[in-house]
Amino acid sequence: MNKVKNKNNFARFFIIFLTSFLLWIIFSFNVGQKINSELLKNTNQGNIMNILGESELDLTKFWEVYNLIKFHNYDSEWIKKDELIDSAIKWLVDWLWDKHSQFMTTKETKKFNDVLSWDFEWIWAVVEKNPMWVTIERIIKGSPAKKYWLKAKDIIIKANNTILEWMDLFDAVDKIKWPAGTKVILDIIRWWEANILTIEVIRDKIKIPSIDSKILEGTDIVYIAINMFWEDTSREFKKALDKNMDAEWLIIDLRDNWGGYLQSAVSILSNLVEDDKILVVTKYKDLFSNISYPSINDWNIYEWKIVVLINENSASASEITAWALKDYKKAILVWKKSYGKWSVQKPFDLSDGSMLKLTIAKWFTPNGVNIDHEGIIPDIEVSFEKEDYTPEEWKEEEFEPYDRQLEVAKEVLKIFIENDAYKLSIEKYLEENKKYKPVINSWN
């Protein structure tokens, strides 16, 4: 009898417990939905801190100054509230000291979207605004800017006699862009030139193949230029490499390659670096979101000697490629220090049509090195010299400047060929050639 009673009590207790548990889940779900709904609603309005009942910023002083200006400043009627807020936000983003993070007003966002819809019939250079004029940040391979010898860090002060001083970036670009076949006369300040340069550039529409490959004339050296890292680039690279898999000497040209898809770089490196070696790590603010990218292959990789060409316009995915080959001692790097962009940006569309672009992640080597804003220092640094070209010949159609960097790359391989050296290392090269001194990286 007691056993039956105990069983009934247990069943009654279990039913009460189960009912309470279910009611608690339903209550929690409803409350959670309500809180999440309010958070989402107020997040879109920028008021999430109010919902949480706390604020990281005490804006008392801001409103105190604003009210003093509003009620006492003689010219305060000229203040436009929207412009004031936009200026404050721009200052806040600028305070990050990250040129890749940017706030664009509604007007600037519209112009930016218009730029994206261009047919790209212009000089094909990446430009940025300095405090007064426009600075060329990077030159794109195969572009009119490259053909007419514009340089990274050139400051454009005039376009067709229109002074660009104090213009915003998009208005200045409007003065430079026009249809293919038209010309623009640019007045340039170049830091190593005593006088202002006047350069006439014929705008053009260009189509850049992601891969160029060939056997260099008079040699057995395979030359593969990677112009950009797009979806099909790794497939095209593998096709070019497979065609010449038995060739013992390879030059990979990453000059003027501003990057592209990270996965494309990883796929290309998987043809050159041993299986399962970490090539690059993407680190986020949330550590659980970090991603490591290993080389993935069946050990059928290119084992011969590689020289990589980089320059000040080599950025992002091209730097990841160059660093991995250098880090795993698969290649010697020749030419100039690279651009230094090892970060990931994401655009956020704001409610009034403006846009905020923020750096949300950075790339690191397997050893934890990040070269954002620093760039990669090559093993052998080589610059153009005056005898490689003359200003009078810039506009001659048949004129081809002397490619000193490519010739040095061929010279590096020649040293290894003559010495029958299997391993490719900068130390071995410098033993045989005293002309170049090793470049020591600060992080080594």
Side-chain angles (χ1 to χ4, degrees), residues 315-422:
S316 191
S318 60
E319 291 179 295
I320 288 171
T321 303
W323 181 279
L325 292 175
K326 174 184 172 69
D327 207 27
Y328 287 112
K329 302 189 183 302
K330 297 289 293 187
I332 290 177
L333 306 190
V334 172
W335 198 8
K336 300 280 284 184
K337 181 180 176 182
S338 65
Y339 178 78
K341 183 186 183 299
W342 271 40
S343 58
V344 182
Q345 284 70 44
K346 179 180 178 180
F348 296 88
D349 295 323
L350 305 181
S351 57
D352 66 345
S354 56
M355 184 172 71
L356 177 64
K357 183 179 71 171
L358 283 179
T359 296
I360 61 166
K362 289 196 174 184
W363 291 318
F364 288 80
T365 72
N367 295 325
V369 174
N370 174 268
I371 59 163
D372 203 35
H373 306 300
E374 291 188 37
I376 303 171
I377 300 174
D379 299 302
I380 302 170
E381 191 161 6
V382 184
S383 299
F384 277 121
E385 298 180 11
K386 292 218 172 187
E387 59 264 30
D388 297 339
Y389 61 90
T390 57
E392 291 76 19
E393 294 173 308
W394 285 1
K395 298 177 185 178
E396 292 183 14
E397 293 274 338
E398 302 301 321
F399 174 65
E400 286 290 336
Y402 177 68
D403 194 341
R404 185 172 295 275
Q405 292 77 33
L406 181 58
E407 293 304 316
V408 170
K410 289 158 65 174
E411 182 183 319
V412 170
L413 291 174
K414 182 181 176 183
I415 292 291
F416 284 90
I417 294 167
E418 289 176 348
N419 289 275
D420 197 26
Y422 175 73

Side-chain angles (χ1 to χ4, degrees), residues 34-80:
K34 185 175 180 181
I35 292 174
N36 286 339
S37 176
E38 285 298 312
L39 282 173
L40 183 60
K41 176 182 175 183
N42 287 277
T43 298
N44 291 335
Q45 297 173 350
N47 293 326
I48 190 170
M49 298 309 295
N50 294 334
I51 290 297
L52 296 177
E54 61 183 67
S55 175
E56 292 186 5
L57 296 176
D58 182 356
L59 296 177
T60 304
K61 190 187 297 184
F62 176 87
W63 292 117
E64 186 179 353
V65 172
Y66 173 77
N67 286 325
L68 287 171
I69 292 173
K70 180 178 178 181
F71 291 107
H72 297 290
N73 184 261
Y74 186 82
D75 293 318
S76 62
E77 66 271 14
W78 297 108
I79 296 176
K80 295 181 180 179

Side-chain angles (χ1 to χ4, degrees), residues 166-226:
W166 304 119
M167 282 189 185
D168 69 40
L169 178 62
F170 300 101
D171 287 338
V173 168
D174 278 340
K175 304 301 179 185
I176 301 172
K177 74 177 181 73
W178 276 100
T182 61
K183 70 179 178 180
V184 58
I185 299 173
L186 303 175
D187 285 0
I188 301 288
I189 295 175
R190 186 169 292 164
W191 65 270
W192 66 82
E193 298 284 357
N195 301 314
I196 292 174
L197 304 177
T198 299
I199 301 176
E200 181 180 299
V201 180
I202 306 298
R203 304 176 180 99
D204 202 358
K205 184 190 294 185
I206 65 175
K207 183 177 181 181
I208 308 173
S210 62
I211 292 287
D212 284 320
S213 64
K214 61 184 177 182
I215 302 293
L216 294 179
E217 187 177 352
T219 74
D220 294 323
I221 298 171
V222 179
Y223 170 89
I224 301 178
I226 305 175

